[in-house]
Amino acid sequence: MEIEELKNSIFGIGEKNEAYVQYFIGQSYLKPLSTTQIPIFNVTFEPGCRNNWHIHNAEKGGGQILICVAGKGWYQEWGKEARLLQPGDVVNIPAGVKHWHGATKDSWFSHLAIEVPGENKSTEWYEPVVEDYEKLK
């Protein structure tokens, strides 16, 4: 998958994700699709780009849903094996689960990130994903 294919895809790639650059290795792009009711964002990762380990916290409800729309990527929860993601895959991430997600080393990757409604939500960011990522094929 090449960047031109993503630019011409149904959701496009959006703008460089400058607001969260400190939480990513590599370049990501963010395109808001809905910012009312339930926030939905198309997040695009260049090859090798991934976010840091993080947790979506909430006192009640909360979490995140990822719907993969283009390319190939990875999702991993703390203490578990990484899961390869491809278009059509869905990941339900409950609040309080430490995880990361991003592109494979050789493919662009896009997913819709859907914020699950909850009370007193926050995101807690942790260390970059380096050793776990380097082990992936």
Side-chain angles (χ1 to χ4, degrees):
M1 169 133 306
E2 300 293 327
I3 190 169
E4 289 306 316
E5 291 176 82
L6 288 171
K7 286 180 180 177
N8 296 320
S9 68
I10 191 167
F11 297 117
I13 66 168
E15 302 297 323
K16 287 185 177 182
N17 188 3
E18 301 295 348
Y20 291 89
V21 70
Q22 69 269 31
Y23 304 121
F24 284 75
I25 292 175
Q27 184 63 59
S28 66
Y29 300 82
L30 190 63
K31 183 171 184 181
L33 302 179
S34 173
T35 55
T36 60
Q37 294 178 302
I38 296 176
I40 303 172
F41 297 87
N42 185 46
V43 184
T44 300
F45 303 79
E46 69 180 2
C49 178
R50 66 266 188 198
N51 52 32
N52 292 1
W53 288 102
H54 60 286
I55 296 174
H56 302 285
N57 294 307
E59 289 180 12
K60 183 177 180 182
Q64 186 178 50
I65 300 168
L66 306 179
I67 300 175
C68 306
V69 296
K72 293 188 299 183
W74 294 106
Y75 169 78
Q76 185 176 15
E77 292 181 4
W78 188 259
K80 296 184 179 180
E81 294 293 318
R83 172 182 162 193
L84 181 64
L85 301 176
Q86 299 181 73
D89 289 339
V90 177
V91 181
N92 289 280
I93 308 164
V97 173
K98 188 174 182 180
H99 67 283
W100 68 271
H101 34 102
T104 63
K105 295 172 187 169
D106 61 353
S107 177
W108 285 81
F109 177 61
S110 291
H111 65 57
L112 302 183
I114 302 167
E115 293 182 29
V116 177
E119 295 177 10
N120 297 319
K121 298 185 314 177
S122 66
T123 301
E124 198 169 350
W125 292 95
Y126 295 97
E127 67 274 11
V129 179
V130 179
E131 290 179 26
D132 288 304
Y133 189 82
E134 293 303 320
K135 294 176 190 174
L136 299 172
K137 303 257 183 226

